[in-house]
């Protein structure tokens, strides 16, 4: 019996198109033309939805039917050595031999080159690349010297659109599947016309159960070196069995997006498709775009595996007392997690799962404006051969770096493998944290250097993410600006913040982790009036947290906020712990404190519905833990 509910079979035009793409049929009338157009669109949908089987297929597009030639390094004509592998096979590995079509030059892909080889290529092909002091590779990122969150797009797809936080306060801006395909084609066609491409394969997440295979395809050797530094570097055996990547980044940052394409707001577009497991970068050569894309991906995938992704650093002491440090750029997260007296697990992106904490990255992307080798010796020594310095200035003759120069940007960066840190704990995994520190940079000068938080307060301030956007970290931010950033990483969040807060609540309860709010910003007045809290004071506070002394210290209550403020801490002057007493005008302090409390209350109102991840009772408990007007 015929099944009348079954979908109709493919049309003759469809069969012809699928069976012989090399010799497409031609229409003899308008109706046949329409049928062929429909068939072509259906074909594109199938092709675009397929997972790539190989590196060769990764770089295929409608303009290039054949894959590229793939080279593992290039033999120097001046230094005889054993021949390097050139893969022209068309078997299971999927690496196809070089072919040319449509008048394009054959593409040569340099696959997983060593840092030394990438240095050579960068110096040959990038006029902006130079070797500077201690052998680091200095380069520039062009017009974009920071993140551009307003240009990031997530594709609205059936399998994930119900999970993504699209509401008020979210930086998840949508894009449809067709526009993503257009931008992907634009990026791949640009890359295919360059003649030389660079591909780096590596892992995200040190925990084997959460590991993600990542492939970065890019035009610049320096970008490939950054990817090599920031991903977890596979062994030769792991590379030979790498297989299909779980996530692929097409970095065509030197080529702009078409501003007249739907959903575009500028010539920059950073597009992520969870269904395709791909990211497209157009119009920005800032290295942080690749890092942001991977962190966005794990913010979507890891909670599905009962792992909490965190914008946090982490270290562990001799007594196995793990500590994590939340915070945005400029709050001291890298500095605190790089404590030379402890073993560093990671400095920026962390996963906290059932087995403990682990680093998501294989390297560090440290902000180096004002880097001082006396105050931050480990980071200074890490910037050596193999490191990439982004947008720094240096002496043309001596090649000494001017760490204090902001002539290009305040957001100067160094990318280096985590092994460059003398105190790195490799593998980068640890137990469950005994303490968690929420770092903020209070430009108003109202919060004390440290507050002890209850579990409810910890969730409230985690979701609030109060700090300041430090100059240069994002395009257009030229001066410190107070802001609220949910979970300290709004630009990479995927789910509603309350989902991450619910996961954090479980971890805190299970492991008895004590949470602290540490202010590294201003005291005795706001920005321009008071002074920034000395780094030595922050170190003293963190040391007292590690030792357990601060947990036993007597406390006073901060008005309006209800926070417990320790009144004694070794190495910290008492007048700094009592912020109100450091202001010349106590009335002005209370008025400013009330305004800040109002900002907190207004901001948290966006999360009052719980996002479907917390009950009304749980949300009310968090609200009660916040400031009271």
């Amino acid at each position: 019996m015929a099944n009348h509910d079954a979908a109709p079979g493919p049309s003759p035009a469809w069969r012809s198109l699928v069976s012989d793409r090399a010799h497409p049929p031609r229409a003899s009338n308008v109706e046949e033309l329409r049928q062929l157009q429909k068939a072509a669109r259906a074909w594109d949908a199938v092709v675009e939805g397929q997972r790539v089987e190989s590196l060769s297929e990764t770089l295929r597009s409608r303009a290039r039917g054949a894959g590229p030639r793939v080279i593992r390094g290039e033999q120097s004509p001046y230094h005889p050595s054993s021949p390097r592998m050139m893969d022209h096979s068309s078997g299971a590995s999927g690496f196809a031999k070089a072919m040319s079509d449509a008048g394009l030059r054959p593409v040569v892909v340099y696959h997983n080159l060593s840092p030394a080889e990438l240095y050579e290529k960068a110096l040959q092909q990038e006029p902006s690349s130079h070797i500077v002091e201690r052998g680091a590779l200095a380069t520039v990122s062009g017009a974009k010297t920071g993140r551009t969150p307003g240009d990031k797009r997530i594709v609205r797809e059936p399998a994930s659109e119900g999970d993504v936080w699209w509401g008020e306060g979210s930086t998840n801006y949508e894009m449809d599947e067709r526009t993503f395909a257009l931008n992907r084609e634009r990026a791949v066609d640009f890359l295919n016309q360059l003649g030389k491409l660079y591909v780096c394969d590596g892992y995200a997440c040190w925990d084997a159960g959460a590991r993600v295979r990542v492939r970065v395809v890019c035009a610049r050797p320096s970008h490939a070196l950054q990817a090599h530094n920031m991903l977890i570097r596979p062994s030769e055996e792991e590379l030979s069995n790498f297989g299909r990547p779980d996530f692929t980044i097409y970095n065509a940052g030197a080529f702009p997006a078409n501003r007249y394409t739907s959903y575009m707001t500028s010539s920059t577009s950073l597009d992520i498709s969870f269904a395709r497991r791909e990211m497209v970068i157009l119009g920005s050569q800032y290295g942080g775009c690749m890092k942001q894309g991977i962190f966005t991906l794990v913010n979507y995938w890891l909670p599905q595996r009962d792992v909490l992704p965190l914008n946090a650093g982490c270290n562990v002491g001799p007594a196995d007392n793990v500590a994590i440090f939340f915070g945005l750029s400029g709050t001291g997260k890298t500095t605190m997690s790089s404590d030379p007296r402890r073993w560093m697990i990671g400095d920026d992106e962390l996963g906290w799962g059932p087995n403990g904490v682990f680093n998501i990255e294989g390297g560090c992307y440290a902000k180096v404006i004002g880097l001082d080798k006396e105050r931050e010796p480990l980071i200074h020594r890490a910037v050596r051969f193999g490191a990439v310095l982004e947008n720094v200035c240096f002496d043309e003759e001596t090649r000494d770096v001017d760490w204090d120069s902001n002539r290009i940007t305040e957001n100067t960066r160094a990318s280096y493998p985590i092994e460059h840190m003398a105190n790195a704990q490799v593998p980068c995994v640890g137990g469950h944290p005994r303490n968690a520190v929420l770092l903020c940079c209070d430009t108003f000068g109202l919060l004390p250097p440290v507050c002890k938080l209850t579990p409810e307060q910890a969730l409230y301030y985690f979701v609030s993410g109060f700090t300041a956007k430090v100059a240069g970290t994002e395009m257009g931010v030229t001066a410190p600006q107070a802001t609220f950033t949910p979970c300290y990483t709004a630009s990479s969040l995927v789910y509603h913040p309350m989902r991450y807060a619910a996961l954090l609540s479980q971890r805190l309860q299970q492991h008895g982790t004590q949470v602290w709010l540490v202010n590294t910003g201003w005291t005795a007045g706001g920005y321009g009036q008071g002074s920034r809290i000395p780094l030595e004071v922050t170190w003293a506070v963190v040391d007292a947290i590690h030792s357990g002394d601060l947990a036993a210290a007597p406390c006073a209550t901060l008005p309006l906020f209800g926070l417990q403020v320790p009144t004694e801490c070794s190495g910290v002057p008492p007048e700094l712990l009592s912020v109100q007493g450091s202001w010349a005008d106590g009335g002005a302090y209370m008025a400013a404190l009330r305004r800040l409390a109002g900002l907190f209350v207004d901001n948290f109102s966006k999360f009052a519905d719980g996002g479907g991840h917390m009950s009304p009772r749980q949300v009310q408990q968090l609200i009660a833990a916040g400031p009271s007007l």
Side-chain angles (χ1 to χ4, degrees), residues 306-308 310 320-324 351-357 430-436 455 502-515:
D306 193 30
V307 176
L308 173 62
L310 299 169
D320 231 16
N321 58 331
V322 175
I324 56 178
W352 188 359
N355 300 323
V357 294
H432 297 286
R434 188 178 303 173
N435 290 285
L503 268 174
L504 178 61
S505 177
Q506 293 176 13
R507 296 288 182 264
L508 296 179
Q509 291 178 12
Q510 289 171 352
H511 306 292
T513 306
Q514 176 62 58
V515 184

Side-chain angles (χ1 to χ4, degrees), residues 183-228:
N183 277 2
R184 180 189 184 278
E185 193 78 357
R186 184 175 177 90
V188 171
D189 284 346
F190 166 74
L191 292 169
N192 275 334
Q193 294 185 66
L194 294 178
K196 294 181 180 179
L197 297 182
Y198 298 85
V199 173
C200 177
D201 293 334
Y203 300 119
C205 302
W206 283 86
D207 186 290
R211 176 172 285 182
V212 179
R213 293 169 295 184
V214 180
R215 170 166 292 162
V216 176
V217 183
C218 54
R220 294 180 57 174
S222 60
H223 280 160
L225 183 54
Q226 284 182 296
H228 172 86

Side-chain angles (χ1 to χ4, degrees), residues 177 189 243 307 320 345 349 363 399 437-438 464 478 481 537 564 571-572 609:
E177 294 174 87
D189 284 346
V307 176
D320 231 16
I345 294 173
E349 295 178 9
R399 299 302 170 101
V437 177
L438 307 181
S464 298
T478 58
Q481 178 180 325
V537 168
Q564 294 301 294
V572 180
D609 63 353

